[in-house]
Amino acid sequence: EVQLVESGGGLVQPGGSLRLSCAASGLTLSTYWMTWVRQAPGKGLEWVASIKEDGSAQYYVDSVTGRFTISRDNAKNSLYLQMNSLRAEDTAVYYCARGRGGVWGQGTTVTVSS
Amino acid sequence: DVVMTQSPLSLPVTLGQPASISCRSSQSLAHSDGNTYLHWFQQRPGQSPRRLIYRVSNRESGVPDRFSGSGSGTDFTLKISRVEAEDVGAYYCMQGTHWPWTFGQGTKVEIK
């Protein structure tokens, strides 16, 4: 069974950092673009970042550029999102997804609040 | 950025009746590789999203055939031929042709 499992969410103060992880099973991550999507409480879906199969290219939504870094470790079949300088508006459930959304994880909740 | 505009944003439907959701993009979603990366997602209450339709009209494995997608260029439609109770939730279109990828605002389907 194909599965993506996110972890690393939690409560953090404004200006703080978190690192999200996404572990894949049942699929070989190295053959896919991977993506992070977030959903603020009661709101719609927002694409955050994507990374090419070999990690050689990354793309970000403007609101996180310079603060978030997407990366991957294909040997560990894992995807990451390093989030720095967090703001209240980054509060959301963060989902990892395969490519353009073919498979989704269950999400991990990030709350930025003092 | 490509703006994705869905309508309606709220869709009350009678069980067994058809439903249709429109998604319009601010520019053509035809990619230079020949594909059109317009996808449809369903998010049931309390669940993660799941993709129903990829590249305009291709149903994902396991998706009931009452769901269908159509369109081209900037104008796309998701149709449910006969709404069932399990179809309640939010539906999103997403374009993956132009960076940054963008979602529509979402359409909430509810049973009358």
Side-chain angles (χ1 to χ4, degrees):
Chain A
E1 181 192 2
V2 174
Q3 204 171 9
L4 297 172
V5 179
E6 301 93 337
S7 60
L11 174 64
V12 61
Q13 292 189 340
S17 298
L18 274 179
R19 188 193 195 210
L20 305 184
S21 299
C22 172
S25 58
L27 79 160
T28 302
L29 222 59
S30 60
T31 60
Y32 298 100
W33 279 78
M34 292 298 294
T35 293
W36 287 98
V37 174
R38 66 185 179 183
Q39 186 169 36
K43 302 296 185 183
L45 302 173
E46 181 184 35
W47 172 81
V48 174
S50 292
I51 185 168
K52 199 175 178 182
E53 295 94 330
D54 61 0
S56 61
Q58 305 90 34
Y59 294 88
Y60 301 90
V61 68
D62 282 351
S63 59
V64 309
T65 298
R67 300 187 300 122
F68 290 12
T69 301
I70 187 172
S71 64
R72 63 195 300 159
D73 186 336
N74 288 337
K76 294 183 178 179
N77 227 26
S78 294
L79 174 73
Y80 307 100
L81 187 68
Q82 177 67 43
M83 304 186 297
N84 299 330
S85 302
L86 282 161
R87 306 167 179 166
E89 54 265 36
D90 297 318
T91 294
V93 176
Y94 284 74
Y95 298 99
C96 72
R98 189 190 76 188
R100 291 177 172 93
V103 179
W104 294 66
Q106 86 290 348
T108 187
T109 300
V110 172
T111 303
V112 184
S113 174
S114 54
Chain B
D1 298 0
V2 177
V3 177
M4 304 296 288
T5 303
Q6 288 183 229
S7 63
L9 299 184
S10 178
L11 184 55
V13 188
T14 301
L15 286 174
Q17 292 301 302
S20 180
I21 300 170
S22 169
C23 176
R24 289 186 170 149
S25 57
S26 60
Q27 56 185 279
S28 173
L29 300 185
H31 195 279
S32 56
D33 67 4
N35 292 307
T36 297
Y37 294 103
L38 183 284
H39 314 292
W40 289 97
F41 298 86
Q42 176 194 61
Q43 188 176 30
R44 291 172 171 150
Q47 295 187 11
S48 299
R50 72 156 173 161
R51 194 166 67 183
L52 297 176
I53 303 287
Y54 62 96
R55 283 187 270 121
V56 182
S57 59
N58 298 279
R59 257 191 316 274
E60 291 283 355
S61 174
V63 173
D65 61 8
R66 64 179 181 275
F67 289 94
S68 64
S70 63
S72 64
T74 62
D75 202 348
F76 303 91
T77 302
L78 175 70
K79 291 183 178 177
I80 311 174
S81 58
R82 294 172 307 279
V83 172
E84 298 190 5
E86 66 179 17
D87 300 336
V88 165
Y91 291 78
Y92 299 89
C93 60
M94 187 205 89
Q95 68 84 17
T97 296
H98 305 284
W99 299 106
W101 296 349
T102 45
F103 287 90
Q105 318 97 299
T107 295
K108 288 194 175 177
V109 171
E110 63 178 30
I111 304 301
K112 279 183 186 174

